[in-house]
Amino acid sequence: MKPDGDATEPSPLVLEAVLKAAEVARIGVAVSILEEDASRCVYATDTAAELLGAPGHQLVGRSLRDFIIPEHLHRLLPLADQMRAVPRGGGGVVEVSVRRPDGEERALELAYSPTTVDGKPAVVTFLINVGEQRATARRTKETAQRLAQLIEQSPDAVVISRRGLILEANPAAARMLGVESAQQLLGLSLAQFVVGEDASAMRERMASVARGEHPGPPRVYRATRADGERVLVEIASFASEYGGEPAIIGFGRDVTDRERMQEQLANTERLAALGTLAAGVAHEINNPLATLALNTEVVARAVARATLSEQDRVTGAAAVAELRTSVDRMTAIVRDLTGFSRTSTEQFGAVDVASVIDRALRVARHATRQRATVRLELSQVPPAFGHAGKLEQVLLNLLVNAAQAFPPGRPEASNEIVVRAWAPEPGRVCIEVTDNGEGIAPAVMSRVFDPFVTTKPAGEGTGLGLFISHNAVRQMEGELSVQSNAGGTTMRVLLRAAREVEQVAVEPRVGPAKSARGRVLIVDDEPAMCRSLQSLLRSSHEVSTAGGGEAALELLARGERYDVILCDLMMPGLNGMALFGELERHQPGLQQQMIFMTGGAFTAEARAFLGGCSNLRLQKPFAAEELEAAIQQVLSRER
């Protein structure tokens, strides 16, 4: 309207634009002329026809009142006179339900505006589908509520932030960061929970996401919870909106256990490789060590027979004694390596507790000797049911833990580790490792056997040692318990004594040596080993050598006969086990005259073979007395 009250006629282009905009907005438009008792539609858009469910040509000439349900017709009465009061009257809005010809009811909002058509009073009606709008709004609200519920119940942390400050967070985020409720996180900087350089990396990543750059894959950050616990958090960040403004939504997950498990798997693989290496090293060392041990005996006998001055005799005897001591030390080291490389496929049975404790103490010496004094209190105990390798690993872990229990800077002389073994009652064996260190914190005691629980500084433990030890003791039908206070810690291993039927089959014992002389064939692929054995035995026996199983068969095929076959178990080509089989098939009985020399049965085949045959065997390195006693025992069966 102009100020003087004259109507302004819009141009056709303006009217076309208005109608097109209404169609785009899905707003129907109808123009009706007001008559005495009714109104008559003279124009309707396609959207108006669709909303009312009738073609446009059927609307022309009809009143829109025809479509309004009777119950809502009264809502039009206040507008009727106003619409006729053109140009003084104004517009109006009313909500009604219409019934389409197909029977469907729709809620429409009718917005009226008076006008004139050819000088007659008329009204322009805008038809808006408020039912559809409400349904859309309802669906949007329901979707938002479901999304909020999903975020609220999500096991993963969800955090919405802007410029580094937390705007929203779910309960999982609160749990992950160690606060009681998500409300406590609001307004805090997410980076304040992140450690060191990772905090700078997080800020750079969030700035990059805010600039619209691709966020890249999730990243793991080192974080400190509100309670001081260190965790590893994997976070994926994306650009989003919150409250109509740009924001960043982050999805976080505590991956501490996953990362530690992956590290432990890597450690397990390294340990498996180390076990294989230890087995190979032990086997490779055993041959030259056995040669050294035998040659020491050769030298000892030569010194004893030689005509020497008293001083030279004493010097020679001392040198031989030192050689024997060194050989014994190397033998103990090799056997410890052999024990470390044993696999869990070995059967459970009777275990010599004193021997296991002795081996564990020797292996742990590197960890204990610089930190504490170790005292051993060993009573007479029966064999325990279990597995020697597993029990040794358990005790080794307890000893290392005890050595690490002392506070830095405390004088070594005041640090003590006590290892006790006794039979607390018939049928039971108890082993204790006690230290007088700082003890275990009460908060940790209830979880001390859980995986990934550790009180050690970073780099000194994975938190899996006691977990693995606890499981190992349970496999041996035993119990592992702990007592701790500010004055120290006691770890107790309680096992049952082995029953007689569970006694581990021992290698056949050799009897006392006799002076019988026999023909001995030495079969070994190590020339030095053959020479050493030949030097040691030739004064007592008629000795021949063969560099392998094939060479031994050739000698036998030529008609050579031997009283004893001293044979290495593991050799390239035809090994000792295969030679045994050849003799059993082609010269039955001769295989029983074999004595096996072994540096360790590291394969399942070798372990099964030795477990199934009754032949004597000598564990390299062996003493000259053991060798001669074994030969004499075989010779005694032949006579």
Side-chain angles (χ1 to χ4, degrees):
M1 301 289 293
K2 284 185 176 180
D4 60 5
D6 296 335
T8 301
E9 294 291 337
S11 70
L13 290 177
V14 173
L15 289 174
E16 183 180 355
V18 170
L19 292 174
K20 183 178 290 186
E23 287 293 293
V24 171
R26 290 192 52 77
I27 298 174
V29 179
V31 179
S32 301
I33 294 177
L34 298 177
E35 297 177 342
E36 288 297 328
D37 298 324
S39 62
R40 177 170 52 85
C41 180
V42 295
Y43 173 81
T45 62
D46 292 342
T47 300
E50 191 278 327
L51 290 174
L52 295 174
H57 68 276
Q58 292 184 9
L59 291 180
V60 175
R62 297 182 63 180
S63 172
L64 298 185
R65 293 168 57 94
D66 297 343
F67 296 89
I68 298 173
I69 63 175
E71 295 86 348
H72 288 178
L73 287 175
H74 69 280
R75 299 181 182 180
L76 302 179
L77 295 178
L79 298 173
D81 293 337
Q82 188 179 7
M83 293 301 103
R84 289 184 174 85
V86 178
R88 295 188 306 277
V93 178
V94 63
E95 183 179 324
V96 297
S97 290
V98 299
R99 183 174 291 113
R100 292 154 47 95
D102 58 10
E104 178 189 351
E105 286 191 9
R106 285 187 177 179
L108 300 181
E109 186 177 81
L110 306 181
Y112 291 94
S113 179
T115 185
T116 60
V117 174
D118 297 332
K120 299 177 181 179
V123 62
V124 177
T125 305
F126 292 88
L127 296 84
I128 302 169
N129 190 348
V130 292
E132 184 179 80
Q133 290 181 346
R134 287 171 182 162
T136 301
R138 184 174 62 253
R139 288 194 295 271
T140 301
K141 182 178 180 181
E142 290 173 353
T143 300
Q145 289 174 340
R146 284 196 297 270
L147 180 60
Q149 188 176 27
L150 286 173
I151 292 175
E152 186 79 5
Q153 297 177 355
S154 170
D156 290 339
V158 181
V159 173
I160 300 174
S161 62
R162 183 182 296 126
R163 292 185 287 278
L165 300 181
I166 298 174
L167 304 176
E168 289 288 346
N170 68 344
R175 290 192 298 270
M176 186 178 73
L177 297 175
V179 297
E180 292 183 1
S181 70
Q183 291 294 320
Q184 294 177 265
L185 295 175
L186 304 187
L188 299 181
S189 169
L190 191 59
Q192 77 181 59
F193 293 95
V194 180
V195 177
E197 297 178 355
D198 285 7
S200 300
M202 173 177 279
R203 294 188 186 96
E204 291 175 7
R205 185 182 179 94
M206 294 176 73
S208 172
V209 173
R211 290 193 298 269
E213 298 175 11
H214 190 276
R219 189 188 191 284
V220 175
Y221 299 91
R222 296 168 298 157
T224 303
R225 289 161 41 94
D227 56 11
E229 182 182 351
R230 291 288 182 92
V231 291
L232 296 173
V233 179
E234 184 180 71
I235 298 179
S237 303
F238 304 94
S240 184
E241 282 191 2
Y242 181 80
E245 294 184 34
I248 295 175
I249 182 168
F251 299 89
R253 177 175 295 176
D254 186 339
V255 294
T256 308
D257 289 352
R258 186 192 74 186
E259 295 292 318
R260 285 176 177 168
M261 184 63 74
Q262 289 175 347
E263 181 181 353
Q264 177 59 21
L265 287 174
N267 287 339
T268 301
E269 291 176 357
R270 286 194 289 268
L271 286 174
L274 182 59
T276 303
L277 177 64
V281 168
H283 185 264
E284 291 302 316
I285 291 177
N286 265 328
N287 280 325
L289 183 57
T291 301
L292 178 61
L294 295 173
N295 283 333
T296 299
E297 295 304 318
V298 172
V299 172
R301 294 180 182 183
V303 169
R305 290 194 302 267
T307 303
L308 300 170
S309 66
E310 184 63 25
Q311 182 177 355
D312 288 343
R313 187 177 300 280
V314 170
T315 301
V320 168
E322 288 184 2
L323 278 172
R324 284 172 171 161
T325 300
S326 297
V327 167
D328 289 343
R329 288 183 61 189
M330 286 187 286
T331 299
I333 292 171
V334 169
R335 286 183 178 167
D336 287 341
L337 284 174
T338 304
F340 175 77
S341 68
R342 289 188 189 122
T343 65
S344 60
T345 57
E346 295 181 68
Q347 294 183 347
F348 287 72
V351 174
D352 185 342
V353 173
S355 297
V356 171
I357 292 175
D358 181 63
R359 287 198 301 271
L361 286 171
R362 287 203 306 270
V363 175
R365 188 175 297 134
H366 73 284
T368 59
R369 63 185 174 186
Q370 299 297 328
R371 300 200 184 195
T373 300
V374 179
R375 181 159 52 89
L376 179 61
E377 297 178 2
L378 187 60
S379 302
Q380 188 70 29
V381 294
F385 175 79
H387 183 285
K390 286 183 178 292
L391 182 57
E392 182 179 338
Q393 290 174 3
V394 168
L395 295 180
L396 177 60
N397 181 64
L398 299 185
L399 287 166
V400 171
N401 281 357
Q404 295 174 342
F406 303 107
R410 195 166 89 170
E412 180 187 334
S414 62
N415 299 338
E416 184 179 55
I417 299 173
V418 181
V419 181
R420 302 183 182 90
W422 76 99
E425 58 184 78
R428 306 289 277 177
V429 177
C430 185
I431 307 170
E432 283 187 349
V433 177
T434 300
D435 66 74
N436 61 344
E438 293 182 308
I440 301 172
V444 180
M445 277 290 291
S446 61
R447 301 183 295 122
V448 74
F449 295 123
D450 291 348
F452 309 119
V453 174
T454 181
T455 58
K456 298 176 185 177
E460 287 198 22
T462 62
L464 287 164
L466 287 178
F467 171 71
I468 292 172
S469 296
H470 188 257
N471 286 340
V473 174
R474 287 180 59 188
Q475 289 174 354
M476 293 184 281
E477 300 180 18
E479 301 173 17
L480 178 60
S481 59
V482 57
Q483 293 179 339
S484 186
N485 53 45
T489 300
T490 295
M491 303 297 301
R492 173 177 292 183
V493 179
L494 190 61
L495 302 171
R496 68 173 175 84
R499 306 183 186 100
E500 185 174 347
V501 295
E502 295 168 336
Q503 297 294 322
V504 175
V506 297
E507 296 177 356
R509 304 292 296 179
V510 297
K514 298 180 181 179
S515 58
R517 185 179 179 85
R519 298 194 72 207
V520 179
L521 175 61
I522 300 168
V523 186
D524 200 303
D525 62 309
E526 291 279 347
M529 187 70 179
C530 288
R531 289 193 297 269
S532 300
L533 287 167
Q534 191 172 29
S535 298
L536 190 67
L537 296 175
R538 63 187 173 190
S539 62
S540 309
H541 304 278
E542 184 181 342
V543 182
S544 300
T545 63
E550 294 88 347
L553 286 179
E554 289 177 8
L555 288 174
L556 293 168
R558 293 201 299 263
E560 297 290 343
R561 293 292 177 265
Y562 299 97
D563 301 310
V564 178
I565 300 175
L566 193 60
C567 183
D568 191 18
L569 183 68
M570 305 299 291
M571 297 180 291
L574 193 72
N575 59 30
M577 295 178 286
L579 179 59
F580 180 94
E582 289 292 319
L583 296 181
E584 187 176 33
R585 283 190 293 273
H586 302 295
Q587 299 187 45
L590 185 57
Q591 79 276 7
Q592 296 301 329
Q593 295 166 232
M594 297 179 72
I595 299 173
F596 290 108
M597 301 177 293
T598 174
F602 299 114
T603 67
E605 180 188 11
R607 286 194 293 270
F609 174 79
L610 290 180
C613 75
S614 59
N615 292 56
L616 297 177
R617 72 286 312 258
L618 295 168
Q619 180 72 38
K620 295 179 182 179
F622 44 81
E625 293 80 5
E626 293 179 83
L627 173 62
E628 184 62 32
I631 292 173
Q632 292 299 324
Q633 187 166 334
V634 174
L635 289 175
S636 68
R637 295 203 300 259
E638 296 298 306
R639 288 169 169 75

